[in-house]
Amino acid sequence: AATADEVLYDVQFIQSNGDTLLVVSGDPGILLYKWSAFLNAMDNPSNGNIMLEPIAQFNPHPSPSDGEPIEINCTSYSAVDNALYGVAGDSFGCYQWDLESEKLVGTFGGAGKNRSNGDYLHDVMAIPNNNHLVLTAGEDGAITFWDGKERKIIETMNIQNTMNKNKQLVTWQTQNKGQWSNGSNLWVSSMDRKGDWLAAVGGSESGNNMSLRSGPNTAGFMATWHLPTRTFNSGCVTRESYNAIAYNQNLDSFVSGGNDGRLTFWDSATGECTGRSGCTSSMIYTLCCNAAPSMMVAGGTGGSLDCFIDRVKAS
């Protein structure tokens, strides 16, 4: 289990062999819990903290530079391949484990012949019903398509290639004059999809994502692609940099959060910004839209979670 000084970066639910499993990733690697254990603990509360042991733990390779453990930033599960993918900020890139045997199958996206992103990876998405497709994204500003079964590159989409010669992102808003400063390095922080449509968000180094509020320079983007044809659909440059995006089925919208302390809603068909809702946290790092049909949960700085019913903050 994680210790008090370890950071957890991602949590999600998966279904495996009829069980609901909670997947937790971060500094301790990947921890796997049976959700039924949490429910039992909540039905039988004690006076202190409840310590639950994971049913499995998946550890990436130690750092090749100092031998220290490497964190896992995000995970994705393929039920077709029974594979658990985890992306890290090391030279091995994306790890692939077999969930049943708990053995490491291989790595890709890091140094060597299967290198593509070749930098700190933020997100991974398995689309198993599409020829074992796996997507990775990170600091190099690219979204890379992989054959998860063979661990080979299919194609790479570079965010810079969606811009015109003036470094302006092609947008649905012709009046949007935001542009990247010369030499800006873009990064992709998060992806989600609605059917055949992929949405991605991120920022640029010049945007200084470490600040709680962005400055006057353009700092981020939201863009969508058509997955089957790998073609760019729409995009928008923003003053905010974004750390997370998720599809909200109830609103038929993509929802993003970042360094402006708000949730931004995007029409899933046009990519148009349709509204914003304020959060308690000044920096949003993660959000979930599938907890219930109309519920969203956002978390970030400040140690609090904001719960929304549709677009209205409930708690």
Side-chain angles (χ1 to χ4, degrees), residues 145-250:
F145 293 71
W146 301 87
D147 181 329
K149 190 173 183 179
E150 301 292 334
R151 295 184 294 282
K152 293 181 179 179
I153 295 174
I154 299 173
E155 187 173 347
T156 297
M157 297 191 308
N158 194 309
I159 301 297
Q160 291 279 14
N161 295 339
T162 65
M163 299 180 187
N164 62 24
K165 62 182 180 180
N166 296 320
K167 298 283 186 182
Q168 293 175 328
L169 192 67
V170 181
T171 72
W172 55 266
Q173 279 184 308
T174 56
Q175 70 269 28
N176 189 331
K177 301 300 182 182
Q179 66 182 49
W180 308 105
S181 59
N182 291 332
S184 294
N185 291 321
L186 302 182
W187 43 266
V188 182
S189 59
S190 182
M191 306 174 287
D192 204 359
R193 68 185 181 101
K194 172 197 174 183
D196 288 337
W197 299 99
L198 174 73
V201 293
S204 70
E205 284 188 359
S206 63
N208 186 18
N209 189 44
M210 297 306 293
S211 64
L212 295 182
R213 300 287 178 179
S214 56
N217 296 327
T218 296
F221 67 89
M222 185 277 191
T224 62
W225 286 265
H226 185 240
L227 274 173
T229 59
R230 319 273 205 272
T231 53
F232 178 72
N233 178 51
S234 66
C236 184
V237 290
T238 63
R239 292 183 61 180
E240 307 84 17
S241 60
Y242 293 117
N243 300 316
I245 189 167
Y247 175 65
N248 185 309
Q249 183 175 0
N250 194 57

